[in-house]
Amino acid sequence: MQNYLLSIVLFTPLAGMIALLFFPKENKTLIKVWTNLVMFVGFLVSVPLWFYYDRSSAEFQLVERAEWIPSIGARYIIGIDGISLLLVLLTTVIGFLSVLSSWSAIEDRVKEYYAFFLLLQTGMLGVFMSLDFFLFYVFWEVMLVPMYFIIGVWGGPRKLYAAIKFFLYTLFGSVLMLLGILALYFHYYTQFGTYTFEIAELMRMSIPLSLQKWVFWGFFVGFAIKVPMFPFHTWLPDAHVEAPTAGSVILAGVLLKMGTYGFVRFSLPLLPDASKDSTTIQVIAWLSIIGIVYGALVSLMQKDWKKLVAYSSVSHLGFCTLGIIALNPNGLSGSILQQINHGISTGMLFLIVGIAYERRHTREISEYGGLSNVMPAYSVVFAIAMLSSAGLPLLNGFIGEFTILQGAFEVSKTWAAFAVSGIVLGAAYLLWLYQRTMFGPITNSKNEKLSDLNLREWAYMLPLVVWAFWIGVYPKPYFEILEKPVAKIVKRIQPDYYRARGLRDPLPAPVPVAAARPTP
Amino acid sequence: MVTGTFLPLIWLIPLFPLAGAALMLLVGRRLDPQGTHGHGHGGGGKAIISILCPGAILAAFLFSLGAVLELAARPPVERSAEVIVFEWMPAIGAPWGFLLDPLSSVMVLVVTGVGFLIHVYAVGYMAHDGGYYRFFGYLNLFVFFMLMLVLANNYVLLFVGWEGVGLCSYLLIGFYFLRKPAGDAGNKAFLVNRIGDAAFILGILLMFAALGSVEFTRVNELLRSGRYAPEAAQWLPWIALCLFIGATGKSAQIPLYVWLPDAMEGPTPVSALIHAATMVTAGVYVVARSNALFVLAPDVMSLVAVIGAATAILAASIGLVQNDIKRVLAYSTVSQLGYMFLACGVGAFWVGIFHLYTHAFFKALLFLGSGSVIHALSGEQDMRKMGALKDKIPITFRTMFIGSLAIAGIPGLAGFFSKDEILWQTWSSQGGAHRFLYVIGIVTASFTAFYMWRLMNMTFYGTSRTPHEVEHHIHESPKVMTVPLMALAAGSVVAGWVGIPKVFHFPESWPSLEHWLAPVFAGSEAGVAAAGEHHSAAAEWGLMALSVALAAGGIWLARRMYHHKPELADGMEQKLKPLHTLLYNKYYIDEIYGALFVNGLAKGGGTLLSRFDAAVVDGGVNGAGWMTRFTSSLSIWWDTWIIDGSVRAGAFLVKLASYPVRVLQTGLVGSYALFIVLGVILMFGYYLWK
Amino acid sequence: MHPVTTVHYLFLSAALLIVGTIGVLTRRNIVVILMSIELILNAVNINLIAFSHQLANVHGQVFAIFVITDAAAEAAVGLGILIALFRNKETVNADEVDILKW
């Protein structure tokens, strides 16, 4: 059973979707119950991954291989390491909770909606688990279509514009990424004589710097659009604002992590020389810092609640990309942990917006005000979500932010100084938002009779609240999971990072940097 | 291994108030369902809260007392107990660990002791307000974070408490959240604090990079023994500076003090606890805790002293003309905090802590007393509408009188010993500018006496300026409020006796705060003490007399202006109108900050960038979309007319050529079959012929 | 009596072939056309069997089996098309189905 655990996790949602196709579309309750059940089961089967994962190894675990298309060298290979383990768990949790949150929000074409969500779930899990580039690309593209429909069919007033913008923009990036993949694919052939998409094999190549740079920037466009990094971020506000609540939650919670995951999993280990090239570092670092500050400032002046949270994602993920380009253990592990944290805290914030939207059907901040008078439990949960996003110590955001700052600081004190301003600005827009929506007397009579959190809403907010506190108070298990995979990546880029600083090396065995050209 | 009954369990101390806060969060509503609008007493549920929350603080106090006594039983060199609970953030070497040493024991006893009295007071003060359970929940949460702050054994865990008290401050300042000014004040407090916090984080990161540790014991050991890397030495002043900037935010010094006066929007017990006795002292605590670092950065020490003195006099000058009783006290707090930093800046760290400790008593007393006055006057806070209350609310009057004497520095009371020690240390310490700082300090002292007696006269003496409806309801506060006042008054008298100056020649065995704190500041005292020896006792007596004289003078002047001859005050105000307006409007600093940073950088920047984002960045994307569509329509034209045109022309030709053949297409299966057969016969025939 | 030789079979086969062909060409009912096509195929079968017997090898018979199978499939498909046609046009008269006209 353990041998196939990953496939089970991966295909449970898909199996659920196929079964769903046979259900009559009139029986909405059955569809909803079924989907929630499937997603919950999907979460349950992913829990054992936490326990089966061996923290003492940096290699990929629970690997499954099968031949798929031998003529082009594409195989079905899936496996996880510490990094993808955390992201897989994030996906199963957020996926389940966002489906749960759609219960009363979607009443129209219910069957299609839940079918798309299940398909999307498999796509996301596949991206994180794939160890074959072709498979990875397939899953990457599979994610786009359901998301397009979810925005385009069940979205807000400008849903078509937003959906098409999202789809084409990200597709453009994906195509450039594909070019990069193919470049690597063909280069491997010239070195080893066979065609393969397997990532472990591709890591054995020695790639000249010029090719590395081309591929890196090709990948960069694809990943940067996904993250999203400044200035490729403008699809995000529209997509988030127009998407239905659960769509926003899954978009912010999981889909945005694909970009950063791509950097960590592919750009850095496969193209180490391009990654540590000084131009690369400066460009990415400064784009990240601009993202942090710019995202926060723009957030501050938004009048649309969801757009505010959307821009805050740009700011938060600026921290994550800064951590990645620091190319050291603190930066990388902080970045990955912060990605999980962002999924939790921004996921919570979007759920919060959704709860308000379901009652009032407006996203204008000015329409609200004084809500804590009538919804006290909601205001507490919102406060926790807000503080988690702002990085208050004892909540998850602080741990990630601080670790990233530590990593950034090691490389450049200037970076850290600029990034730290994001902490101040973050508090500014969040607190102001909270005040405008929650505090003060009720100015709009439509807000007077709003109901507080119901049982279902508690059910999907509470796990995230608990998780936020868990990471904030006791982050050690997470850092343990990340230690070795992160060390492996760091050593690929800077082989004597640990030795040069006199630090304990988590991976004493030498990591293969790049194989020499095989003798013809 | 830490031995003892209480000492190994010091990690429990913060958990008492945390339990209280958690209970309030979970079941508070059920105990006191009166949410935000409450009237009158709530009955049994409220009583449970009234016992539970102050009780949690009392439990923390007693536990801390037990631990401190155990600590005191040890010889001075061993008075340090460190307990690590678990590994929290290994990357920066920050465990979830606690340290009880002489410094943190002073802090913990002040926080829990004064905190307990304020909780008891609040039971009475908040009895008529809505949100009782929320208030006590937040208050307990605050004490939890404050205890984390003072008991932490490393800078990162301290920072947890640091930000946490900021959060609680935000929640409590904005407690009356139905009022917009309250919400705004809460925001202002949190944001201004956060600016300091950002600097603090940089300081921690610098410290870890330079010294490899953020734990107090390890850092102090490295710094005192000099066993840090030479490259690290150049960073030490920067670390100190960053930590100090953080401290200016939390402790309301220049330039980040602007949040404190606005914080008076919160209920008075909040002002007493957070903005007088505890949270604002966190900055002083950090500087004192980092004394080994600061003495290695003399320029930063000077900066600390200068800012302390400057803040002291600036705030005092503003306090001279304020009319809201709480604002006077707020500016007084900022001013007194300046004194504490001045002390630390000149190297007299123990004196800074001494003043922190005495100030906790009399400032809490003054705030609670003012709360009592406000309570008596049904919410009036403007001193121009007070007067002649001394006989109507005698206990409040007498306790506030004692508090005012203490803060003014009248001999025998707590403030005298601590403030005088600060002034003496400033005068006698090394450094040319220190004489100048002394002058600032002594002038501030006279201001202090003046504004306190202005307050006392306007509030308690003279003729009553309160409107009639309010006058009828004037009543002394209930015991639950007056007993803490009396306790604090007693403290304001005796607290100073642990810092009797040496010139008084008390016996060596008399309890001395300086001796108690000596292990913590060992090594930092060297520079200061040596300098101090050179000055004579005569100088010390002389200065002491001078400050008492100035205090008395201030009191006399205030009494004259506000009691005997009120016209004098108004006259002066008229003659010095520009100066008065400047002071009254707090030197317009808030307005400058607002224009520059809030509306300028933040909001202006935000609006500008939003427009930039929508027009330029997104415009680029939309432009790309437009470009694509335009190119597409060009392609469409080309495709339709040129490409497809040629195809269609071809098709036409084919159509033409096919006419004869088309005729054969009858659509009837039979005719097709005929053609097949004919064809076969023809083929056959051909072969037969051949 | 003359013995039955191969030639007789060939004549039979030719006769069937001609009958079938005329049937395909002249009859109007599509079902009958299909039956005529079957006749042609069967004629071919007889031819094959005759030569197989004469040449004393099995090839002809094997091929005949192929043809039978093929005939069956083709009849099925043809009838299917017929039914579809009938559903749409309500007629099985070949003269009336001329929509594929130019």
PDB file of all heavy atoms in Angstrom, chain A residues 161 165 233-234 294 311 390 406 420 423 435 440-441 472-473, chain B residues 88 91 177-178 183-184 187 194 198 606 613 618 621-622:
ATOM      1  N   TYR A 161     -13.395  38.548 -18.949  1.00  0.00           N
ATOM      2  CA  TYR A 161     -12.117  39.253 -19.124  1.00  0.00           C
ATOM      3  C   TYR A 161     -11.060  38.647 -18.220  1.00  0.00           C
ATOM      4  O   TYR A 161      -9.946  38.331 -18.653  1.00  0.00           O
ATOM      5  CB  TYR A 161     -12.326  40.742 -18.798  1.00  0.00           C
ATOM      6  CG  TYR A 161     -11.056  41.549 -18.710  1.00  0.00           C
ATOM      7  CD1 TYR A 161     -10.354  41.893 -19.856  1.00  0.00           C
ATOM      8  CD2 TYR A 161     -10.567  41.973 -17.480  1.00  0.00           C
ATOM      9  CE1 TYR A 161      -9.186  42.642 -19.772  1.00  0.00           C
ATOM     10  CE2 TYR A 161      -9.408  42.718 -17.404  1.00  0.00           C
ATOM     11  CZ  TYR A 161      -8.727  43.052 -18.543  1.00  0.00           C
ATOM     12  OH  TYR A 161      -7.573  43.783 -18.457  1.00  0.00           O
ATOM     13  N   LYS A 165      -7.818  36.556 -19.480  1.00  0.00           N
ATOM     14  CA  LYS A 165      -6.530  37.173 -19.132  1.00  0.00           C
ATOM     15  C   LYS A 165      -5.669  36.175 -18.357  1.00  0.00           C
ATOM     16  O   LYS A 165      -4.493  35.968 -18.666  1.00  0.00           O
ATOM     17  CB  LYS A 165      -6.808  38.397 -18.278  1.00  0.00           C
ATOM     18  CG  LYS A 165      -5.632  39.309 -18.061  1.00  0.00           C
ATOM     19  CD  LYS A 165      -6.161  40.564 -17.375  1.00  0.00           C
ATOM     20  CE  LYS A 165      -5.050  41.568 -17.136  1.00  0.00           C
ATOM     21  NZ  LYS A 165      -5.572  42.743 -16.453  1.00  0.00           N
ATOM     22  N   HIS A 233       2.311  40.756 -12.619  1.00  0.00           N
ATOM     23  CA  HIS A 233       1.314  40.384 -11.635  1.00  0.00           C
ATOM     24  C   HIS A 233      -0.104  40.817 -11.964  1.00  0.00           C
ATOM     25  O   HIS A 233      -1.022  40.500 -11.237  1.00  0.00           O
ATOM     26  CB  HIS A 233       1.671  41.056 -10.305  1.00  0.00           C
ATOM     27  CG  HIS A 233       1.644  42.533 -10.423  1.00  0.00           C
ATOM     28  ND1 HIS A 233       2.653  43.271 -10.972  1.00  0.00           N
ATOM     29  CD2 HIS A 233       0.674  43.416 -10.100  1.00  0.00           C
ATOM     30  CE1 HIS A 233       2.309  44.553 -10.976  1.00  0.00           C
ATOM     31  NE2 HIS A 233       1.113  44.660 -10.445  1.00  0.00           N
ATOM     32  N   THR A 234      -0.283  41.576 -13.051  1.00  0.00           N
ATOM     33  CA  THR A 234      -1.580  42.238 -13.164  1.00  0.00           C
ATOM     34  C   THR A 234      -2.747  41.308 -13.461  1.00  0.00           C
ATOM     35  O   THR A 234      -3.891  41.727 -13.382  1.00  0.00           O
ATOM     36  CB  THR A 234      -1.548  43.329 -14.233  1.00  0.00           C
ATOM     37  OG1 THR A 234      -0.984  42.760 -15.420  1.00  0.00           O
ATOM     38  CG2 THR A 234      -0.699  44.491 -13.778  1.00  0.00           C
ATOM     39  N   TYR A 294       5.734  47.633  -3.293  1.00  0.00           N
ATOM     40  CA  TYR A 294       4.714  48.058  -4.248  1.00  0.00           C
ATOM     41  C   TYR A 294       3.374  47.387  -3.945  1.00  0.00           C
ATOM     42  O   TYR A 294       2.329  48.032  -3.860  1.00  0.00           O
ATOM     43  CB  TYR A 294       5.223  47.683  -5.632  1.00  0.00           C
ATOM     44  CG  TYR A 294       4.349  48.013  -6.795  1.00  0.00           C
ATOM     45  CD1 TYR A 294       4.488  49.213  -7.458  1.00  0.00           C
ATOM     46  CD2 TYR A 294       3.413  47.102  -7.265  1.00  0.00           C
ATOM     47  CE1 TYR A 294       3.714  49.497  -8.568  1.00  0.00           C
ATOM     48  CE2 TYR A 294       2.648  47.386  -8.364  1.00  0.00           C
ATOM     49  CZ  TYR A 294       2.803  48.581  -9.020  1.00  0.00           C
ATOM     50  OH  TYR A 294       2.045  48.852 -10.108  1.00  0.00           O
ATOM     51  N   TYR A 311      -3.610  42.028  -3.852  1.00  0.00           N
ATOM     52  CA  TYR A 311      -2.319  42.712  -3.897  1.00  0.00           C
ATOM     53  C   TYR A 311      -1.451  42.337  -2.713  1.00  0.00           C
ATOM     54  O   TYR A 311      -0.225  42.335  -2.805  1.00  0.00           O
ATOM     55  CB  TYR A 311      -2.511  44.233  -3.962  1.00  0.00           C
ATOM     56  CG  TYR A 311      -2.727  44.732  -5.366  1.00  0.00           C
ATOM     57  CD1 TYR A 311      -3.973  45.190  -5.787  1.00  0.00           C
ATOM     58  CD2 TYR A 311      -1.699  44.732  -6.284  1.00  0.00           C
ATOM     59  CE1 TYR A 311      -4.167  45.632  -7.078  1.00  0.00           C
ATOM     60  CE2 TYR A 311      -1.883  45.187  -7.577  1.00  0.00           C
ATOM     61  CZ  TYR A 311      -3.118  45.634  -7.974  1.00  0.00           C
ATOM     62  OH  TYR A 311      -3.308  46.067  -9.257  1.00  0.00           O
ATOM     63  N   ALA A 390      -0.089  39.586   8.885  1.00  0.00           N
ATOM     64  CA  ALA A 390       0.809  40.690   9.225  1.00  0.00           C
ATOM     65  C   ALA A 390       2.083  40.200   9.887  1.00  0.00           C
ATOM     66  O   ALA A 390       2.997  40.988  10.106  1.00  0.00           O
ATOM     67  CB  ALA A 390       0.090  41.667  10.156  1.00  0.00           C
ATOM     68  N   GLN A 406      16.339  36.545   7.778  1.00  0.00           N
ATOM     69  CA  GLN A 406      17.655  36.070   8.185  1.00  0.00           C
ATOM     70  C   GLN A 406      18.458  35.651   6.961  1.00  0.00           C
ATOM     71  O   GLN A 406      19.626  35.997   6.827  1.00  0.00           O
ATOM     72  CB  GLN A 406      17.465  34.873   9.108  1.00  0.00           C
ATOM     73  CG  GLN A 406      18.428  34.834  10.243  1.00  0.00           C
ATOM     74  CD  GLN A 406      18.341  33.533  11.004  1.00  0.00           C
ATOM     75  OE1 GLN A 406      17.265  32.998  11.201  1.00  0.00           O
ATOM     76  NE2 GLN A 406      19.471  33.023  11.418  1.00  0.00           N
ATOM     77  N   VAL A 420      12.201  44.677   5.341  1.00  0.00           N
ATOM     78  CA  VAL A 420      11.597  44.864   6.645  1.00  0.00           C
ATOM     79  C   VAL A 420      10.506  45.936   6.603  1.00  0.00           C
ATOM     80  O   VAL A 420       9.559  45.929   7.403  1.00  0.00           O
ATOM     81  CB  VAL A 420      12.718  45.177   7.666  1.00  0.00           C
ATOM     82  CG1 VAL A 420      12.473  46.438   8.397  1.00  0.00           C
ATOM     83  CG2 VAL A 420      12.901  44.029   8.620  1.00  0.00           C
ATOM     84  N   ILE A 423       7.034  44.802   6.505  1.00  0.00           N
ATOM     85  CA  ILE A 423       6.357  44.439   7.739  1.00  0.00           C
ATOM     86  C   ILE A 423       5.528  45.613   8.239  1.00  0.00           C
ATOM     87  O   ILE A 423       4.399  45.443   8.721  1.00  0.00           O
ATOM     88  CB  ILE A 423       7.402  44.016   8.787  1.00  0.00           C
ATOM     89  CG1 ILE A 423       8.066  42.744   8.318  1.00  0.00           C
ATOM     90  CG2 ILE A 423       6.767  43.834  10.130  1.00  0.00           C
ATOM     91  CD1 ILE A 423       9.005  42.149   9.294  1.00  0.00           C
ATOM     92  N   GLN A 435     -10.102  47.993  10.526  1.00  0.00           N
ATOM     93  CA  GLN A 435     -10.836  49.068  11.180  1.00  0.00           C
ATOM     94  C   GLN A 435     -12.042  49.469  10.338  1.00  0.00           C
ATOM     95  O   GLN A 435     -13.145  49.645  10.866  1.00  0.00           O
ATOM     96  CB  GLN A 435      -9.919  50.269  11.364  1.00  0.00           C
ATOM     97  CG  GLN A 435     -10.548  51.363  12.178  1.00  0.00           C
ATOM     98  CD  GLN A 435      -9.760  52.641  12.137  1.00  0.00           C
ATOM     99  OE1 GLN A 435      -8.804  52.783  11.383  1.00  0.00           O
ATOM    100  NE2 GLN A 435     -10.152  53.586  12.953  1.00  0.00           N
ATOM    101  N   GLY A 440     -16.024  50.675  14.701  1.00  0.00           N
ATOM    102  CA  GLY A 440     -16.937  51.780  14.531  1.00  0.00           C
ATOM    103  C   GLY A 440     -18.371  51.314  14.648  1.00  0.00           C
ATOM    104  O   GLY A 440     -18.658  50.119  14.778  1.00  0.00           O
ATOM    105  N   PRO A 441     -19.298  52.256  14.590  1.00  0.00           N
ATOM    106  CA  PRO A 441     -20.700  51.862  14.645  1.00  0.00           C
ATOM    107  C   PRO A 441     -21.130  51.371  13.271  1.00  0.00           C
ATOM    108  O   PRO A 441     -20.427  51.581  12.285  1.00  0.00           O
ATOM    109  CB  PRO A 441     -21.404  53.183  14.996  1.00  0.00           C
ATOM    110  CG  PRO A 441     -20.496  54.233  14.467  1.00  0.00           C
ATOM    111  CD  PRO A 441     -19.106  53.699  14.482  1.00  0.00           C
ATOM    112  N   GLY A 472       3.209  28.726  14.293  1.00  0.00           N
ATOM    113  CA  GLY A 472       3.787  29.877  14.981  1.00  0.00           C
ATOM    114  C   GLY A 472       4.460  29.524  16.287  1.00  0.00           C
ATOM    115  O   GLY A 472       5.495  30.076  16.632  1.00  0.00           O
ATOM    116  N   VAL A 473       3.849  28.576  17.016  1.00  0.00           N
ATOM    117  CA  VAL A 473       4.410  28.265  18.324  1.00  0.00           C
ATOM    118  C   VAL A 473       5.462  27.149  18.244  1.00  0.00           C
ATOM    119  O   VAL A 473       6.449  27.165  18.966  1.00  0.00           O
ATOM    120  CB  VAL A 473       3.282  27.845  19.288  1.00  0.00           C
ATOM    121  CG1 VAL A 473       3.842  27.409  20.606  1.00  0.00           C
ATOM    122  CG2 VAL A 473       2.332  28.997  19.492  1.00  0.00           C
TER     123      VAL A 473
ATOM    124  N   TRP B  88      12.597  26.309  19.769  1.00  0.00           N
ATOM    125  CA  TRP B  88      11.512  26.978  19.041  1.00  0.00           C
ATOM    126  C   TRP B  88      11.920  27.341  17.621  1.00  0.00           C
ATOM    127  O   TRP B  88      11.390  26.808  16.661  1.00  0.00           O
ATOM    128  CB  TRP B  88      11.080  28.219  19.833  1.00  0.00           C
ATOM    129  CG  TRP B  88      10.006  29.014  19.224  1.00  0.00           C
ATOM    130  CD1 TRP B  88       8.838  28.546  18.707  1.00  0.00           C
ATOM    131  CD2 TRP B  88       9.973  30.429  19.086  1.00  0.00           C
ATOM    132  NE1 TRP B  88       8.081  29.585  18.251  1.00  0.00           N
ATOM    133  CE2 TRP B  88       8.748  30.749  18.461  1.00  0.00           C
ATOM    134  CE3 TRP B  88      10.855  31.461  19.420  1.00  0.00           C
ATOM    135  CZ2 TRP B  88       8.398  32.062  18.169  1.00  0.00           C
ATOM    136  CZ3 TRP B  88      10.492  32.760  19.133  1.00  0.00           C
ATOM    137  CH2 TRP B  88       9.282  33.045  18.515  1.00  0.00           C
ATOM    138  N   ALA B  91      16.870  28.040  13.665  1.00  0.00           N
ATOM    139  CA  ALA B  91      17.699  28.751  12.679  1.00  0.00           C
ATOM    140  C   ALA B  91      18.396  29.958  13.273  1.00  0.00           C
ATOM    141  O   ALA B  91      19.498  30.317  12.882  1.00  0.00           O
ATOM    142  CB  ALA B  91      16.837  29.179  11.494  1.00  0.00           C
ATOM    143  N   PHE B 177     -14.554  50.618  20.484  1.00  0.00           N
ATOM    144  CA  PHE B 177     -14.361  50.666  19.046  1.00  0.00           C
ATOM    145  C   PHE B 177     -15.483  51.324  18.275  1.00  0.00           C
ATOM    146  O   PHE B 177     -15.381  51.537  17.085  1.00  0.00           O
ATOM    147  CB  PHE B 177     -14.073  49.265  18.496  1.00  0.00           C
ATOM    148  CG  PHE B 177     -15.185  48.278  18.674  1.00  0.00           C
ATOM    149  CD1 PHE B 177     -16.271  48.267  17.816  1.00  0.00           C
ATOM    150  CD2 PHE B 177     -15.145  47.358  19.696  1.00  0.00           C
ATOM    151  CE1 PHE B 177     -17.290  47.352  17.959  1.00  0.00           C
ATOM    152  CE2 PHE B 177     -16.157  46.441  19.858  1.00  0.00           C
ATOM    153  CZ  PHE B 177     -17.235  46.431  18.983  1.00  0.00           C
ATOM    154  N   LEU B 178     -16.569  51.628  19.004  1.00  0.00           N
ATOM    155  CA  LEU B 178     -17.634  52.325  18.305  1.00  0.00           C
ATOM    156  C   LEU B 178     -17.241  53.752  17.967  1.00  0.00           C
ATOM    157  O   LEU B 178     -17.836  54.381  17.104  1.00  0.00           O
ATOM    158  CB  LEU B 178     -18.907  52.334  19.152  1.00  0.00           C
ATOM    159  CG  LEU B 178     -19.561  50.961  19.287  1.00  0.00           C
ATOM    160  CD1 LEU B 178     -20.709  51.031  20.281  1.00  0.00           C
ATOM    161  CD2 LEU B 178     -20.086  50.499  17.947  1.00  0.00           C
ATOM    162  N   GLY B 183     -10.517  53.855  17.349  1.00  0.00           N
ATOM    163  CA  GLY B 183      -9.950  52.952  16.344  1.00  0.00           C
ATOM    164  C   GLY B 183      -8.707  53.553  15.703  1.00  0.00           C
ATOM    165  O   GLY B 183      -7.696  52.883  15.517  1.00  0.00           O
ATOM    166  N   ASP B 184      -8.795  54.841  15.383  1.00  0.00           N
ATOM    167  CA  ASP B 184      -7.642  55.498  14.767  1.00  0.00           C
ATOM    168  C   ASP B 184      -6.444  55.491  15.699  1.00  0.00           C
ATOM    169  O   ASP B 184      -5.307  55.273  15.268  1.00  0.00           O
ATOM    170  CB  ASP B 184      -7.987  56.956  14.424  1.00  0.00           C
ATOM    171  CG  ASP B 184      -8.940  57.047  13.255  1.00  0.00           C
ATOM    172  OD1 ASP B 184      -9.022  56.069  12.497  1.00  0.00           O
ATOM    173  OD2 ASP B 184      -9.599  58.083  13.114  1.00  0.00           O
ATOM    174  N   ASN B 187      -4.835  52.101  15.709  1.00  0.00           N
ATOM    175  CA  ASN B 187      -4.035  51.931  14.499  1.00  0.00           C
ATOM    176  C   ASN B 187      -2.718  52.666  14.594  1.00  0.00           C
ATOM    177  O   ASN B 187      -1.653  52.129  14.266  1.00  0.00           O
ATOM    178  CB  ASN B 187      -4.784  52.505  13.294  1.00  0.00           C
ATOM    179  CG  ASN B 187      -5.675  51.479  12.675  1.00  0.00           C
ATOM    180  OD1 ASN B 187      -5.806  50.386  13.182  1.00  0.00           O
ATOM    181  ND2 ASN B 187      -6.301  51.830  11.572  1.00  0.00           N
ATOM    182  N   ARG B 194       5.266  49.487  15.012  1.00  0.00           N
ATOM    183  CA  ARG B 194       5.802  48.558  14.018  1.00  0.00           C
ATOM    184  C   ARG B 194       7.035  49.110  13.336  1.00  0.00           C
ATOM    185  O   ARG B 194       7.926  48.357  12.942  1.00  0.00           O
ATOM    186  CB  ARG B 194       4.754  48.247  12.954  1.00  0.00           C
ATOM    187  CG  ARG B 194       4.017  46.970  13.244  1.00  0.00           C
ATOM    188  CD  ARG B 194       4.386  45.907  12.323  1.00  0.00           C
ATOM    189  NE  ARG B 194       4.120  44.601  12.878  1.00  0.00           N
ATOM    190  CZ  ARG B 194       3.778  43.547  12.178  1.00  0.00           C
ATOM    191  NH1 ARG B 194       3.645  43.661  10.887  1.00  0.00           N
ATOM    192  NH2 ARG B 194       3.597  42.390  12.749  1.00  0.00           N
ATOM    193  N   ALA B 198      10.408  47.066  13.132  1.00  0.00           N
ATOM    194  CA  ALA B 198      11.196  46.715  11.943  1.00  0.00           C
ATOM    195  C   ALA B 198      12.678  46.923  12.241  1.00  0.00           C
ATOM    196  O   ALA B 198      13.518  46.080  11.915  1.00  0.00           O
ATOM    197  CB  ALA B 198      10.761  47.584  10.764  1.00  0.00           C
ATOM    198  N   GLY B 606       0.537  55.013  -2.210  1.00  0.00           N
ATOM    199  CA  GLY B 606      -0.376  53.939  -2.565  1.00  0.00           C
ATOM    200  C   GLY B 606      -1.273  54.314  -3.721  1.00  0.00           C
ATOM    201  O   GLY B 606      -1.467  53.552  -4.672  1.00  0.00           O
ATOM    202  N   ASP B 613      -0.201  51.083 -11.544  1.00  0.00           N
ATOM    203  CA  ASP B 613      -0.439  49.668 -11.803  1.00  0.00           C
ATOM    204  C   ASP B 613      -1.549  49.489 -12.821  1.00  0.00           C
ATOM    205  O   ASP B 613      -1.427  48.742 -13.779  1.00  0.00           O
ATOM    206  CB  ASP B 613      -0.819  48.963 -10.487  1.00  0.00           C
ATOM    207  CG  ASP B 613      -0.639  47.477 -10.574  1.00  0.00           C
ATOM    208  OD1 ASP B 613       0.502  47.041 -10.730  1.00  0.00           O
ATOM    209  OD2 ASP B 613      -1.638  46.757 -10.506  1.00  0.00           O
ATOM    210  N   ASP B 618      -0.691  47.268 -15.943  1.00  0.00           N
ATOM    211  CA  ASP B 618      -1.796  46.523 -16.516  1.00  0.00           C
ATOM    212  C   ASP B 618      -2.114  47.052 -17.902  1.00  0.00           C
ATOM    213  O   ASP B 618      -2.587  46.312 -18.765  1.00  0.00           O
ATOM    214  CB  ASP B 618      -3.020  46.625 -15.603  1.00  0.00           C
ATOM    215  CG  ASP B 618      -3.902  45.416 -15.743  1.00  0.00           C
ATOM    216  OD1 ASP B 618      -3.384  44.355 -16.095  1.00  0.00           O
ATOM    217  OD2 ASP B 618      -5.118  45.533 -15.530  1.00  0.00           O
ATOM    218  N   VAL B 621      -0.299  45.131 -20.206  1.00  0.00           N
ATOM    219  CA  VAL B 621      -0.920  43.832 -20.489  1.00  0.00           C
ATOM    220  C   VAL B 621      -2.105  44.007 -21.417  1.00  0.00           C
ATOM    221  O   VAL B 621      -2.234  43.312 -22.429  1.00  0.00           O
ATOM    222  CB  VAL B 621      -1.389  43.183 -19.178  1.00  0.00           C
ATOM    223  CG1 VAL B 621      -2.138  41.907 -19.461  1.00  0.00           C
ATOM    224  CG2 VAL B 621      -0.188  42.898 -18.291  1.00  0.00           C
ATOM    225  N   ASN B 622      -2.952  44.968 -21.092  1.00  0.00           N
ATOM    226  CA  ASN B 622      -4.105  45.205 -21.960  1.00  0.00           C
ATOM    227  C   ASN B 622      -3.662  45.664 -23.328  1.00  0.00           C
ATOM    228  O   ASN B 622      -4.274  45.326 -24.339  1.00  0.00           O
ATOM    229  CB  ASN B 622      -5.037  46.252 -21.334  1.00  0.00           C
ATOM    230  CG  ASN B 622      -5.825  45.659 -20.183  1.00  0.00           C
ATOM    231  OD1 ASN B 622      -6.080  44.479 -20.165  1.00  0.00           O
ATOM    232  ND2 ASN B 622      -6.188  46.489 -19.234  1.00  0.00           N
TER     233      ASN B 622
END
